[in-house]
Amino acid sequence: MLGVEHDYTERPNENAPDAGQGIEGNESITHQNEGDSEMKSTSAPASYLVDVVLPDGEERIGHTATFDQAVDRAVTDAADLLGTDFTSHVTDISMFAIAPDGRTVEYRITPHDQPVPEDEPSADEIDADEPIGYGLTDSALDMLRQRADESAHAVMIAPRDVLLNNFTDLPTPQWEEHCENLVMNAVANSEWHGPGIDIPLAMHNGEWTHNGGIRQAFARVKLVQKITEITPRIELERWAKHKGKDGLSQADGSCYKLTLDEARQLAHDLLLLLDVACDAPDEVAGGAQ
């Protein structure tokens, strides 16, 4: 059997120092080759760390067993940030994801000398909708308790702090000092309301006052701006006496919200109608002559 096995190997050199050692010499060579193989395998990374580069630093998003898994993890994260329509460029240590609009996200793929822990899920096993399940350290639990205590106070707004300027980082309107602040319990819906201009409406029902006078129906025009917007709008409201209601009130659908362009167009059209209406008698008179 030894002769047969030896036929499958390169014929030994009789002049070599190990030529007379037979199988033992071959075994020593085999062991040496195995040693070389082990040395080469230990030089390869045991795993890869994946970090996304953010403006304020890097954030770890994955720990994978292979380089290909690390790239897949970066691709998955890029799809969440940029959408699926992006191109990628991969190097030995990084990946760049580039969206059609020019937005770019960089990922660092760093070789690691330790394997992925057995209790750590692989990149393929992680479900973004499910908690990963890492055990919390004592320091993390302490921080969680502290944040819970802080958040209990954060949801309360003291009466003295119920001011629109406290709810927005956007510039306040120039006419803010003359307006009425309308604070909503959903604070993002709060608005600045400028002084209203009331125009009497003689063809709509007003109300009798206690001393026998009449409070006429009116149209109110005013500037309104939400605290989440940087441009005001113009609102036109109709207030009149409605059956079954005390005082003057707005009818359903009687509030018109106009952008500045819409209000400008309406103003020009009203002036045009006025010009036509005021010139009409003269034209008729001229035609009669």
Side-chain angles (χ1 to χ4, degrees):
M1 291 294 291
L2 292 176
V4 175
E5 292 182 1
H6 185 66
D7 287 341
Y8 287 95
T9 64
E10 183 179 347
R11 185 173 296 278
N13 184 354
E14 295 178 355
N15 296 323
D18 295 335
Q21 295 182 4
I23 299 302
E24 293 181 358
N26 289 339
E27 289 180 351
S28 66
I29 293 174
T30 302
H31 292 162
Q32 181 179 355
N33 291 338
E34 291 177 353
D36 292 342
S37 174
E38 290 176 359
M39 290 179 62
K40 292 179 181 177
S41 65
T42 54
S43 64
S47 62
Y48 294 85
L49 303 175
V50 188
D51 298 276
V52 58
V53 180
L54 302 172
D56 55 351
E58 297 183 1
E59 179 181 330
R60 179 69 39 80
I61 64 168
H63 186 188
T64 65
T66 67
F67 182 82
D68 288 342
Q69 289 179 344
V71 173
D72 289 343
R73 182 68 189 91
V75 168
T76 300
D77 188 76
D80 292 338
L81 298 176
L82 303 177
T84 56
D85 185 18
F86 68 88
T87 57
S88 61
H89 176 68
V90 180
T91 69
D92 292 339
I93 59 173
S94 62
M95 187 193 93
F96 294 86
I98 306 170
D101 60 4
R103 291 176 298 151
T104 302
V105 182
E106 179 183 357
Y107 295 88
R108 300 278 174 81
I109 301 176
T110 307
H112 193 50
D113 58 359
Q114 297 295 324
V116 180
E118 294 182 359
D119 59 348
E120 181 176 334
S122 67
D124 295 335
E125 296 171 339
I126 295 177
D127 186 343
D129 296 330
E130 296 294 334
I132 294 178
Y134 292 130
L136 290 175
T137 62
D138 290 340
S139 60
L141 287 173
D142 291 340
M143 183 178 295
L144 177 61
R145 297 188 188 98
Q146 179 181 349
R147 288 292 298 120
D149 293 339
E150 293 173 352
S151 65
H153 299 288
V155 298
M156 295 299 299
I157 301 177
R160 65 178 182 277
D161 295 325
V162 180
L163 302 171
L164 290 193
N165 292 341
N166 293 338
F167 303 147
T168 180
D169 295 327
L170 297 176
T172 59
Q174 297 178 349
W175 37 274
E176 181 262 342
E177 61 179 300
H178 303 291
C179 26
E180 171 187 353
N181 296 338
L182 180 63
V183 180
M184 308 293 289
N185 52 9
V187 293
N189 293 329
S190 300
E191 298 174 328
W192 285 289
H193 284 231
I197 300 175
D198 294 341
I199 304 167
L201 300 176
M203 301 183 69
H204 293 270
N205 293 333
E207 65 171 344
W208 291 100
T209 62
H210 295 294
N211 60 3
I214 298 176
R215 187 187 182 198
Q216 288 185 275
F218 60 89
R220 175 171 292 171
V221 185
K222 61 183 178 181
L223 289 170
V224 177
Q225 182 172 330
K226 291 188 65 171
I227 63 172
T228 56
E229 299 174 348
I230 60 174
T231 304
R233 64 180 183 269
I234 293 179
E235 289 194 359
L236 173 62
E237 306 168 345
R238 175 166 59 86
W239 292 75
K241 176 65 177 176
H242 297 98
K243 186 176 181 179
K245 294 185 177 181
D246 295 332
L248 302 183
S249 61
Q250 290 187 60
D252 293 338
S254 64
C255 178
Y256 297 90
K257 300 178 180 181
L258 307 174
T259 66
L260 298 185
D261 287 339
E262 292 168 345
R264 184 179 296 109
Q265 183 64 50
L266 177 61
H268 285 300
D269 291 343
L270 288 174
L271 290 174
L272 174 61
L273 292 171
L274 282 172
D275 287 342
V276 173
C278 293
D279 289 341
D282 294 339
E283 293 178 359
V284 172
Q289 294 176 357

